[in-house]
Amino acid sequence: MEQKSKTNGIFIGSKPLMNYVTGVIVQFNSTEAKEVIIKSRGKFTSKAIDIAELTKRKFSKEGIKTKDIKIGSEEFVTKEGKKVTVSTLEITMVRD
Amino acid sequence: MEQKSKTNGIFIGSKPLMNYVTGVIVQFNSTEAKEVIIKSRGKFTSKAIDIAELTKRKFSKEGIKTKDIKIGSEEFVTKEGKKVTVSTLEITMVRD
C-alpha cells in the first residue's frame, strides 16, 4: 500500500467559502493527514482567514485548531511581461 | 516625564498602502516602541499582509521583521441589528 503524506494542502480560490471549510474537514477525515494547510495568495488571503476561523468555530469540538500562520511574498511575471509581487498566507490547521 | 508604551499599534483602513508602511516606520523611529502591531479586520486583512511584507522588504536592513501573527474573530451588531462575525489579523513587527 502506498504511503500517504501526513500533511495535506488546500488552495483557496473563488469557490464559495463553505466548499473550502468542507474541503479541510474531508482532508482530515478521509486521509491520514495530521495537518491541513490552507494556502492563499493576494486578495484570497482574507478569505483564507475566514475559512480557518469558521472551521475552528464549527469543529473545535473535534479538536481542530490553528497551529501555525506564515506570511510571505511571491514574485511572478504576468502575461504582459510585468513583474508583480503578491503576498501569500499559509494557515496550518491541526486536529488533536 | 510620562512613560511611553513599548508596543504601538496601527489600524489598517482605506488609506493608500504606503501611508501605513510609513506609519509603521514612524512609530519605530519616533517612539520607544520595540514592537508595532499591524491590526486589521475583514477585507483589510489582505492589505495588512501586504503592508507587513512591504515594510519587511523595504526595511529589512534596519532589522525590521515579522515576529508574530494572530488570527481571530470578532462579533458585532450592525446598525440594522444584524449580528455579524468578522475575521481579525494582528501582525507584530519588531526591530532588532
Side-chain angles (χ1 to χ4, degrees):
Chain A
M1 200 179 156
E2 204 185 333
Q3 197 183 351
K4 284 176 187 165
S5 163
K6 297 284 185 259
T7 300
N8 285 342
I10 193 160
F11 204 87
I12 306 309
S14 51
K15 288 179 198 162
L17 204 81
M18 281 308 296
N19 287 35
Y20 297 105
V21 174
T22 308
V24 171
I25 300 306
V26 165
Q27 290 208 1
F28 273 122
N29 288 341
S30 69
T31 71
E32 296 291 311
K34 303 282 180 232
E35 301 182 353
V36 176
I37 303 177
I38 299 169
K39 298 176 183 184
S40 58
R41 300 202 307 182
K43 64 176 180 175
F44 293 113
T45 53
S46 287
K47 193 173 177 179
I49 298 174
D50 289 339
I51 290 161
E53 284 295 302
L54 189 55
T55 306
K56 201 168 63 177
R57 282 202 303 277
K58 274 183 156 321
F59 298 95
S60 59
K61 281 179 195 162
E62 281 81 20
I64 290 174
K65 58 182 185 182
T66 311
K67 182 191 169 194
D68 192 35
I69 307 165
K70 277 186 195 136
I71 62 173
S73 302
E74 265 177 35
E75 274 192 0
F76 66 96
V77 178
T78 63
K79 272 183 280 186
E80 294 78 23
K82 209 182 149 191
K83 206 166 79 173
V84 173
T85 305
V86 67
S87 298
T88 62
L89 173 69
E90 288 193 2
I91 304 171
T92 304
M93 309 294 292
V94 286
R95 182 165 59 182
D96 280 341
Chain B
M1 198 180 155
E2 206 185 333
Q3 199 184 350
K4 284 176 187 163
S5 163
K6 296 285 185 261
T7 300
N8 285 342
I10 193 160
F11 204 87
I12 307 309
S14 50
K15 288 179 198 162
L17 205 80
M18 281 308 295
N19 288 33
Y20 298 105
V21 174
T22 307
V24 171
I25 298 307
V26 165
Q27 291 208 0
F28 273 122
N29 287 342
S30 68
T31 71
E32 296 291 310
K34 302 282 179 232
E35 301 181 353
V36 176
I37 304 177
I38 299 169
K39 299 176 182 182
S40 58
R41 300 203 305 183
K43 65 175 179 175
F44 293 114
T45 53
S46 289
K47 193 173 177 180
I49 298 174
D50 289 339
I51 290 161
E53 284 296 302
L54 190 54
T55 305
K56 200 168 63 178
R57 282 203 302 279
K58 273 182 156 324
F59 297 95
S60 59
K61 281 179 194 161
E62 280 82 21
I64 290 174
K65 58 184 186 182
T66 311
K67 183 190 168 192
D68 193 34
I69 306 165
K70 277 185 195 138
I71 61 173
S73 302
E74 265 176 34
E75 275 192 0
F76 65 97
V77 179
T78 63
K79 275 182 279 188
E80 293 77 25
K82 209 181 149 193
K83 206 166 79 172
V84 173
T85 305
V86 69
S87 297
T88 61
L89 173 68
E90 287 193 0
I91 304 171
T92 305
M93 310 294 292
V94 286
R95 181 166 59 182
D96 280 341

